[in-house]
Amino acid sequence: MTKLPKEALTVLKELENNNFEAFLVGGFVRDLLLNRKTHDIDCATNALPDQIESVFKHFKQSHVGKEHGTVGVKVNDYWIEITTYRVDHETHDHRRPKSVVFTPSLQEDVNRRDFTMNALAINANLEIIDYVNGQEDIEAKLIRCVGNPEIRFYEDSLRILRAIRFACQLDFKIDELSLEAMHKHAYLLNALAVERIYQEFKLILESEHIHTYLNKTKDIISIFLPEIMDLDQTEFDKIDKCDTLLKRFSLFFLHKTEESIRIRCTALKMPKKLMNDCIDFHACFNHDYTIQTIDLKRMMQSYPNEIILEAMETQKLMTPDRYNKDSHHLLIKLINDNVVIAVKDLAINGHDLMELNIQGKAIQDTLNRCLEAVMLNKVDNTRDALLEWVNLT
């Protein structure tokens, strides 16, 4: 185990020096044991929010979560969330607690957490407090709910997607009781804000090993992505070989329409750029490529190069009978050669044409004709050759 970050030690020592308990908790401890990089540092303490503020009065603070016991403290360039030990009362909307009650007990605080691997605490001396056998579950690569899984998922239905995400990110197994409860309470996802659903699903699709648990939880994912149930199993089985978010999400729409992509992306409130990329990918995947240079140049004019390449790679994987190897190699060559596909790539511009007494709308029309001629290899893209061609035509 590596040593704790100095910023985390600062927080722990400040609280301890003021006679409070202090532990790092949650995903930070899990990732520390797994030797994974972690971004969020969370601290739990028996100090009440006002007391936390007082201890860190010389630090920049955030009070956004104070009503739930959390005070953000900035140490150097790190924001560390410090939360009073608490017990959550019944949630509303299966997500947020209606109220919280502070407790002096770390064990009570731990017992409200989602999974055993996230319910560990560690102090400044690297002593681990484990009330729920979380270390054993980490060693066994097991995701198991703290306590009754049905209660855990009913309290916060986002935990259902978090379980799938952790399984995909860590290549862990979800224990059978927890998995059974996830299927049983999948309908609770309907209560979540779609932004949170998309955020978790994006992280799932960006994980390295997604096939196993996406396959086991299709009925759950179908709550917000019904298209997953229509995907041919032989195609679905190749999802791990799709190595980008765009490829993986687009996989569910290979045999759908552009409009269905637009509808689903809008329903999930996905970023507009990603929606447009998915639509472009759909068109590029369904294009029948030839070894004619002009065909590829036309595609390059209409779609980003990287999307055409990803679509070709997906053709090779999913529909090898349609994949054109020569066309793929030619596209790469055209990209590397910085082939001319736009007016801005021409060796002449409007000022050059004005010297030939070409004015107004005729300037753009002439530049467009020059571009077409260069793309068809009728003239070289040099200033002299283009100006001569303009004079002759």
Side-chain angles (χ1 to χ4, degrees), residues 10 13 19 30 44-45 65 89 112 116 135 159 161 166 183 194 208 213 241 260 309 312 330 342:
T10 296
K13 291 298 184 181
N19 300 315
R30 177 200 69 225
T45 178
H89 277 187
R112 72 178 175 83
T116 58
Q135 293 178 92
R159 289 170 173 167
L161 294 183
F166 287 135
H183 287 289
V194 292
E208 187 173 353
Y213 273 96
K241 294 181 180 179
S260 65
L309 286 171
M312 282 186 164
L330 179 56

Side-chain angles (χ1 to χ4, degrees), residues 277-329:
D277 286 350
C278 289
I279 291 170
D280 286 349
F281 181 94
H282 185 267
C284 293
F285 176 83
N286 286 290
H287 184 73
D288 291 320
Y289 295 92
T290 71
I291 58 172
Q292 294 184 26
T293 303
I294 189 60
D295 172 57
L296 290 174
K297 288 180 179 179
R298 299 280 189 227
M299 291 297 290
M300 293 170 71
Q301 280 186 307
S302 302
Y303 305 102
N305 293 339
E306 62 273 14
I307 291 181
I308 305 173
L309 286 171
E310 288 195 41
M312 282 186 164
E313 291 163 3
T314 307
Q315 274 190 350
K316 181 179 180 181
L317 179 66
M318 296 295 173
T319 55
D321 56 316
R322 291 181 54 237
Y323 169 69
N324 189 318
K325 178 181 177 181
D326 293 333
S327 184
H328 193 174
H329 289 171

Side-chain angles (χ1 to χ4, degrees), residues 294 298 301 367-377:
I294 189 60
R298 299 280 189 227
Q301 280 186 307
L367 288 173
N368 288 338
R369 288 194 300 110
C370 288
L371 174 62
E372 185 73 5
V374 171
M375 289 181 62
L376 292 170
N377 297 320

Side-chain angles (χ1 to χ4, degrees), residues 163-327:
I164 300 172
R165 168 164 65 88
F166 287 135
C168 294
Q169 286 180 334
L170 304 174
D171 199 18
F172 276 24
K173 178 182 178 182
I174 302 174
D175 95 291
E176 289 303 317
L177 285 178
S178 298
L179 189 59
E180 183 179 327
M182 289 163 60
H183 287 289
K184 181 177 179 179
H185 293 288
Y187 70 94
L188 294 175
L189 294 180
N190 288 310
L192 292 175
V194 292
E195 292 90 346
R196 297 308 304 272
I197 289 176
Y198 170 69
Q199 184 180 36
E200 286 295 328
F201 189 53
K202 177 176 181 289
L203 292 171
I204 289 170
L205 291 183
E206 290 174 335
S207 302
E208 187 173 353
H209 310 282
I210 69 172
H211 174 268
T212 297
Y213 273 96
L214 271 193
N215 200 35
K216 286 186 176 184
T217 59
K218 282 183 179 179
D219 60 315
I220 296 173
I221 302 299
S222 70
I223 297 291
F224 58 87
L225 187 74
E227 291 81 5
I228 194 172
M229 303 303 288
D230 299 329
L231 186 61
D232 183 89
Q233 187 64 40
T234 58
E235 293 175 331
F236 183 87
D237 289 342
K238 298 175 182 177
I239 194 167
D240 277 348
K241 294 181 180 179
C242 295
D243 55 2
T244 67
L245 171 66
L246 179 60
K247 287 180 184 177
R248 288 179 170 182
F249 185 80
S250 297
L251 185 64
F252 305 114
F253 298 90
L254 291 185
H255 309 297
K256 302 292 183 179
T257 64
E258 176 185 313
E259 184 60 22
S260 65
I261 298 173
R262 195 181 304 277
I263 290 171
R264 185 59 54 215
C265 290
T266 301
L268 288 173
K269 296 188 178 180
M270 291 169 55
K272 189 171 182 180
K273 181 184 183 305
L274 182 55
M275 177 177 73
N276 291 334
D277 286 350
C278 289
I279 291 170
D280 286 349
F281 181 94
H282 185 267
C284 293
F285 176 83
N286 286 290
H287 184 73
D288 291 320
Y289 295 92
T290 71
I291 58 172
Q292 294 184 26
T293 303
I294 189 60
D295 172 57
L296 290 174
K297 288 180 179 179
R298 299 280 189 227
M299 291 297 290
M300 293 170 71
Q301 280 186 307
S302 302
Y303 305 102
N305 293 339
E306 62 273 14
I307 291 181
I308 305 173
L309 286 171
E310 288 195 41
M312 282 186 164
E313 291 163 3
T314 307
Q315 274 190 350
K316 181 179 180 181
L317 179 66
M318 296 295 173
T319 55
D321 56 316
R322 291 181 54 237
Y323 169 69
N324 189 318
K325 178 181 177 181
D326 293 333
S327 184

